[in-house]
Amino acid sequence: MAVDSPLSSPLGPPACEKDAKALQFIEEMTRNAESVQQRVLAEILSRNAQTEYLTRFQLNGATDRETFKSKLPVITYEDLQPEIHRIANGDRSAILTAHPISEFLTSSGTSAGERKLMPTIKEELDRRQLLYSLLMPVMNLYVAGLDKGKGLYFLFVKSETRTPGGLLARPVLTSYYKSDHFKTRPYDPYNVYTSPNEAILCPDSFQSMYTQMLCGLLDRHKVLRLGAVFASGLLRAIRFLQLNWRQLADDMETGSLNSKITDPSLRECIVKTLKPNPELAQFVCHECSKDDWEGIIVRIWPNTKYLDVIVTGAMAQYIPTLDYYSGGLPLACTMYASSECYFGLNLNPMCKPSEVSYTIMPNMAYFEFLPHEPNLDSTGFDFTRELPPKLVDLVDVEVGKEYELVITTYAGLCRYRVGDILRVTGFHNSAPQFHFVRRKNVLLSIDSDKTDEAELQTAVENASHLLCEHNASVVEYTSHADTKTIPGHYVVYWELLVKDSTNSPDNDTLEQCCLAMEESLNSVYRQGRVADNSIGPLEIRVVKNGTFEELMDYAISRGASINQYKVPRCVNFTPIMELLDSRVVSAHFSPALPHWSPERSQ
Ligand code: AMP
């Protein structure tokens, strides 16, 4: 049997001893995917044997796969609502998990317009950190010398609330950045950030962004990689620089910090490092005052080797803009995770975005896969075969096939449908690798918002009530996530039926319709508009009468069946966009921010 020397790995030569251990761990987990999965399931089921949930399904202490699969149903968030409500309202009994629920993680997926609440337990933080600890050892295989400089990462915390029963509810990254795991992380030369913790942890998004940008500029020659969690976040930082470079340059010129930075610990921390640097101020002014911002990232941060941002899934729409600002730097998508569970990592992070595959780490949870076929309805049930869906285990998925991810976690989710569709691209040892295909039922997304068809329909209906006094109505509509602007915004195309041309809806009314739509959209959308400034005002483009008929003609000319034709509720295909845009008679933007508060409405 071959024995791995500590400084070699089938993945490549590790950069240091610590990396060697991490790579060895990846090898062990992926080689033994099947037995690790079996162990994970047994651990979860035995520790939770007495929970109300497992007792309800009469598992009677069984920890084997067959019994588990035969007795436990595959569920969605909606099925768990009663249990989640009880936990949120203060029931501390062992409902889903034997370990106490430490907090709720608020997912960007919504239910009845509000973020989903995902119960979590303390030890999940260790599991998340374990996955994070594998990322740099993999990256170091592809990019040398990352210990010789720093990473400029725009990382933010978001607002948190408490449930009626007193549990914290906040996004998973906020929970992670505020944890000791992050705050008191040991020094690692491969993972030095330009942003101090005080800047990342400042709850005011302007002050946080301002100081993170300032620190990034002060350290510009040391920056070797630049990133944010999602592509939209990095572009928001570029936009912020466009709007604020003068003030930032003033601070560098004079060595005194802008008075808008009022958070005392943040001020104290930045003031310590800020010294007058007129040369840097002049450089920033020189670069930023140019009309042309192409390649601005490499002009300001000339040693950047890659951008570390997720550009898979809905974020793929930002690739051309990132390429423009970065002069085509490599885009590294390093991991795949969610509030429910962190899933896995990209073992080839410098590959092209279109070739990104994530390797699911078998130690993170127990994974099953629901075959995703066109004849399966939204419940996953194949009515043509009249058989219950057969879920496939991690090591049994087939290359080329698509599946919906189903997880059983240490935090107590059992056979829970995540809603992500993945396609198998290959295997690393016996662990499969997946291309992220899409999230189910998402029509529009700019940042972390996810708007589905039903939400858009309700928004259009609510807004169109305002047309009644003009004796007008919306006869057809479709939508598009416009990411040419930063931040991006939703565009909704409306074809109107105006019965009285002397009283057709005016600009004021249509602007109010935009706002009414925004008020109807889910809380993640409204938070993006109000608190994060990551989504721009919604736009209604009114198109000429007959436009949607032309759209149908076009689809039919390309082979669509006339009987089955349905108006697409979201369009991205360039010829269709061009057709729609050439028929626009007027455009209207939301004139104000919709309502949003961190408190949940239910
Ligand atoms: P949240 O629970 O709000 O953190 O959202 C998690 C969801 O974000 C996942 O279920 C995916 O749909 C999406 N997501 C996370 N990581 C990636 C990735 N690397 N590529 C594409 N989509 C991702």
Side-chain angles (χ1 to χ4, degrees):
M1 199 172 90
V3 178
D4 292 335
S5 109
L7 279 180
S8 82
S9 158
L11 287 162
C16 60
E17 193 105 7
K18 192 161 151 255
D19 284 11
K21 280 203 183 119
L23 299 178
Q24 201 178 356
F25 178 76
I26 296 174
E27 283 304 293
E28 273 167 27
M29 289 298 121
T30 54
R31 262 189 220 148
N32 305 311
E34 170 66 5
S35 58
V36 174
Q37 281 284 275
Q38 213 160 351
R39 171 177 61 74
V40 167
L41 181 64
E43 260 173 32
I44 295 173
L45 296 182
S46 60
R47 65 152 76 169
N48 291 335
Q50 305 305 323
T51 57
E52 192 183 311
Y53 193 77
L54 291 189
T55 314
R56 187 186 310 160
F57 294 103
Q58 283 149 22
L59 215 56
N60 303 329
T63 60
D64 64 290
R65 227 177 257 192
E66 292 65 36
T67 317
F68 170 74
K69 289 187 184 230
S70 66
K71 298 206 167 178
L72 279 148
V74 177
I75 56 159
T76 63
Y77 182 80
E78 311 309 325
D79 299 316
L80 274 187
Q81 280 268 23
E83 286 78 12
I84 304 268
H85 263 114
R86 281 171 55 203
I87 300 169
N89 288 329
D91 190 336
R92 295 282 178 274
S93 60
I95 300 175
L96 298 175
T97 153
H99 288 219
I101 303 286
S102 52
E103 61 183 310
F104 277 113
L105 302 176
T106 54
S107 144
S108 59
T110 52
S111 165
E114 293 291 339
R115 287 171 176 272
K116 291 178 185 167
L117 291 175
M118 294 298 168
T120 190
I121 56 177
K122 258 213 174 85
E123 66 168 52
E124 278 293 286
L125 264 170
D126 301 330
R127 232 166 253 117
R128 282 178 214 126
Q129 191 177 34
L130 176 65
L131 194 68
Y132 281 128
S133 75
L134 306 176
L135 304 182
M136 283 316 285
V138 172
M139 188 52 90
N140 291 336
L141 295 171
Y142 297 89
V143 185
L146 290 173
D147 55 337
K148 307 288 184 292
K150 298 187 181 183
L152 165 50
Y153 282 77
F154 295 95
L155 306 176
F156 301 93
V157 293
K158 293 195 180 183
S159 61
E160 51 191 41
T161 53
R162 282 195 186 268
T163 66
L167 282 172
L168 269 180
R170 55 191 179 178
V172 61
L173 290 172
T174 300
S175 160
Y176 181 69
Y177 300 144
K178 288 190 167 183
S179 72
D180 286 338
H181 290 67
F182 180 79
K183 285 195 292 191
T184 57
R185 60 198 183 277
Y187 175 78
D188 173 356
Y190 290 95
N191 234 342
V192 182
Y193 296 144
T194 53
S195 300
N197 285 357
E198 287 82 351
I200 295 170
L201 294 173
C202 176
D204 180 285
S205 61
F206 176 86
Q207 296 184 48
S208 176
M209 177 75 97
Y210 189 94
T211 49
Q212 295 197 53
M213 184 60 84
L214 183 61
C215 295
L217 291 169
L218 296 174
D219 253 352
R220 75 181 190 97
H221 286 292
K222 292 203 189 115
V223 171
L224 302 183
R225 52 203 171 106
L226 219 122
V229 178
F230 289 114
S232 51
L234 186 53
L235 288 171
R236 201 155 75 243
I238 301 296
R239 180 73 189 144
F240 185 90
L241 184 60
Q242 279 176 338
L243 297 174
N244 294 283
W245 59 265
R246 280 194 181 82
Q247 290 97 303
L248 288 157
D250 273 354
D251 291 6
M252 292 171 218
E253 175 84 36
T254 59
S256 60
L257 183 62
N258 192 314
S259 58
K260 285 190 193 151
I261 309 305
T262 53
D263 181 312
S265 65
L266 180 54
R267 262 201 95 78
E268 190 188 340
C269 157
I270 304 292
V271 162
K272 260 193 246 158
T273 48
L274 188 60
K275 304 275 174 306
N277 187 342
E279 207 179 314
L280 178 61
Q282 209 176 7
F283 169 80
V284 169
C285 290
H286 177 73
E287 287 302 332
C288 295
S289 59
K290 289 180 185 164
D291 285 338
D292 182 5
W293 272 49
E294 188 168 1
I296 190 80
I297 292 178
V298 280
R299 282 193 264 143
I300 295 186
W301 294 281
N303 299 316
T304 315
K305 296 173 193 249
Y306 65 93
L307 301 185
D308 190 345
V309 275
I310 291 177
V311 287
T312 42
M315 291 293 145
Q317 60 192 341
Y318 293 107
I319 294 172
T321 321
L322 283 174
D323 283 345
Y324 175 82
Y325 287 122
S326 76
L329 280 175
L331 298 167
C333 297
T334 59
M335 69 188 282
Y336 169 42
S338 76
S339 317
E340 294 92 327
C341 176
Y342 279 23
F343 307 121
L345 74 171
N346 179 0
L347 295 178
N348 184 14
M350 296 300 274
C351 69
K352 280 198 256 164
S354 58
E355 287 164 12
V356 171
S357 286
Y358 299 103
T359 305
I360 287 194
M361 287 301 286
N363 58 308
M364 300 302 288
Y366 177 65
F367 298 100
E368 293 177 273
F369 297 85
L370 184 60
H372 181 74
E373 293 162 24
N375 59 346
L376 290 185
D377 79 346
S378 64
T379 65
F381 192 88
D382 181 350
F383 288 100
T384 59
R385 275 194 253 143
E386 295 195 356
L387 285 172
K390 181 139 177 45
L391 272 67
V392 179
D393 278 318
L394 183 67
V395 297
D396 296 328
V397 294
E398 290 176 49
V399 174
K401 291 211 168 143
E402 289 188 4
Y403 299 91
E404 182 184 339
L405 183 60
V406 175
I407 54 171
T408 297
T409 66
Y410 285 89
L413 298 176
C414 273
R415 312 196 87 191
Y416 176 94
R417 292 172 69 167
V418 174
D420 288 348
I421 307 293
L422 310 174
R423 183 169 54 248
V424 186
T425 53
F427 282 81
H428 180 75
N429 296 321
S430 53
Q433 304 185 297
F434 295 93
H435 170 72
F436 181 93
V437 178
R438 64 187 172 86
R439 192 172 170 99
K440 268 175 31 188
N441 303 330
V442 173
L443 209 59
L444 292 165
S445 173
I446 293 288
D447 190 33
S448 51
D449 53 304
K450 299 172 175 71
T451 296
D452 69 23
E453 196 163 327
E455 287 171 323
L456 182 65
Q457 166 80 27
T458 308
V460 172
E461 272 168 22
N462 289 348
S464 60
H465 292 318
L466 300 176
L467 301 177
C468 292
E469 62 184 89
H470 292 272
N471 208 2
S473 58
V474 179
V475 280
E476 273 305 354
Y477 68 92
T478 189
S479 66
H480 175 71
D482 185 344
T483 52
K484 283 193 222 83
T485 57
I486 305 177
H489 70 290
Y490 288 10
V491 176
V492 187
Y493 293 89
W494 275 11
E495 184 171 320
L496 298 177
L497 176 64
V498 178
K499 297 203 185 103
D500 173 4
S501 59
T502 60
N503 181 27
S504 57
D506 50 18
N507 179 52
D508 247 19
T509 307
L510 287 158
E511 281 187 357
Q512 288 308 317
C513 288
C514 294
L515 184 57
M517 289 190 75
E518 295 199 300
E519 295 286 11
S520 308
L521 292 172
N522 65 51
S523 74
V524 181
Y525 174 89
R526 286 177 283 113
Q527 181 173 2
R529 281 282 286 129
V530 177
D532 305 343
N533 196 19
S534 58
I535 306 174
L538 184 144
E539 179 184 0
I540 290 176
R541 292 185 191 160
V542 178
V543 293
K544 262 197 224 150
N545 282 353
T547 303
F548 279 82
E549 215 169 302
E550 283 188 73
L551 215 65
M552 179 173 79
D553 293 343
Y554 182 82
I556 289 164
S557 75
R558 289 176 53 92
S561 145
I562 196 156
N563 294 321
Q564 287 166 313
Y565 177 79
K566 290 186 206 71
V567 176
R569 291 305 179 205
C570 179
V571 292
N572 292 306
F573 186 50
T574 311
I576 299 228
M577 300 291 310
E578 283 171 0
L579 190 153
L580 281 166
D581 282 326
S582 68
R583 304 295 187 273
V584 170
V585 288
S586 62
H588 315 269
F589 288 89
S590 183
L593 293 173
H595 290 94
W596 177 79
S597 98
E599 301 306 323
R600 299 170 68 84
S601 65
Q602 38 118 32

